[in-house]
Amino acid sequence: MVLPKVRGPVRLADRVAELLTDEIRSGRLAVGDKLPTEVELVKQLGVSRTVVREAVSRLRNAGLLEPRQGLGVFVMAPRMEPLDLSMEALETRAKVLQIVEVRRAIEAEAAALAAARVTSDDVVRIRQALVAIDSAVAEGRDGVDEDLAFHRCVAEATHNPVLVATLRYVGEVMRGGIRVTRANEARRDDFIQQVRREHHAIAEAIESGDSSAAAAAARTHMRQAAERLQDAGETFWNEAAGLDGGLSKSL
């Protein structure tokens, strides 16, 4: 597949997203096809990596593309237009806190269901996800992907494919919010340790099969994440606005 270079006065990410969408809708990029690599797209389209990443992220949010760890990004079957959860206007502390509220509602229920249905294999995956977060922190990485993976493991332990699919979709919207919360938490070692305890409390309640405790632990995690964000000063929020080109792009 060879794509034309993108030019014109319209925002480049919009043009790239539109071009890739047309390729998918027309069938030139068929269901199951692997998207060209980021490097290949940059070369073919004549745009920056940032533009390609933003465009691909939009198509992931729209359910047209699906990343598969270690394999690449693949085309999914077109579907009805999804609920528009684009976060173009998320530029303030209040908006980030709104995402935390959404996570609290969804993840508390997911944790409760997981506790009622968890299997031994689920427990292993959840524990491995916690280890991965610790490793990311020890290596000085932001741990965003590992954090999302932990919450995805909890969702998968519900054995409800609709909930898993919903959280996978919403998770891409939440990625920027998690990036901001983790950047805030990385400012202080006590925050890092507090978050670690909260994650482990969720995992332990699920492993023990206590739905009430699991839901309470998930709600506590989200409530304290909001409190940690509210504690952050203006300097942090000014810096956060630059993460991945700004909150409007990352959230």
Side-chain angles (χ1 to χ4, degrees), residues 78-228:
R79 61 193 187 196
M80 293 178 61
E81 290 299 316
L83 174 66
D84 183 8
L85 291 179
S86 60
M87 295 293 159
E88 293 296 320
L90 291 186
E91 299 174 347
T92 67
R93 181 184 322 200
K95 295 296 185 180
V96 176
L97 290 171
Q98 287 170 8
I99 283 187
V100 175
E101 289 181 354
V102 172
R103 290 185 62 195
R104 183 170 63 217
I106 295 175
E107 292 181 15
E109 182 63 20
L113 289 173
R117 303 170 181 175
V118 69
T119 67
S120 58
D121 287 342
D122 293 327
V123 170
V124 170
R125 284 190 287 269
I126 290 171
R127 290 293 177 182
Q128 288 174 338
L130 291 174
V131 170
I133 294 174
D134 288 344
S135 297
V137 171
E139 294 168 9
R141 295 185 282 113
D142 62 17
V144 173
D145 288 338
E146 291 79 8
D147 195 310
L148 277 169
F150 166 71
H151 291 286
R152 185 167 58 250
C153 286
V154 171
E156 289 170 350
T158 69
H159 298 277
N160 180 332
V162 176
L163 179 58
V164 173
T166 300
L167 284 176
R168 183 184 297 118
Y169 171 62
V170 175
E172 288 306 314
V173 178
M174 293 175 177
R175 179 180 295 274
I178 292 175
R179 181 176 292 109
V180 173
T181 58
R182 291 197 67 86
N184 176 53
E185 291 154 2
R187 296 182 301 122
R188 291 170 42 177
D189 185 64
D190 59 327
F191 279 0
I192 293 173
Q193 295 307 316
Q194 186 178 45
V195 173
R196 187 177 188 275
R197 288 193 296 271
E198 290 164 13
H199 280 158
H200 278 261
I202 295 170
E204 289 164 7
I206 291 172
E207 186 173 354
S208 68
D210 190 332
S211 292
S212 296
R219 281 193 295 269
T220 296
H221 176 43
M222 291 295 99
R223 185 180 67 251
Q224 294 189 168
E227 291 174 358
R228 288 188 288 267

Side-chain angles (χ1 to χ4, degrees), residues 47-98:
V47 297
S48 70
R49 300 183 90 170
T50 299
V51 168
V52 168
R53 288 173 184 171
E54 183 176 348
V56 170
S57 178
R58 290 187 191 183
L59 268 63
R60 289 166 64 182
N61 290 342
L64 294 176
L65 296 176
E66 179 183 40
R68 298 176 189 170
Q69 190 169 6
L71 297 175
V73 180
F74 292 80
V75 177
M76 297 179 67
R79 61 193 187 196
M80 293 178 61
E81 290 299 316
L83 174 66
D84 183 8
L85 291 179
S86 60
M87 295 293 159
E88 293 296 320
L90 291 186
E91 299 174 347
T92 67
R93 181 184 322 200
K95 295 296 185 180
V96 176
L97 290 171
Q98 287 170 8

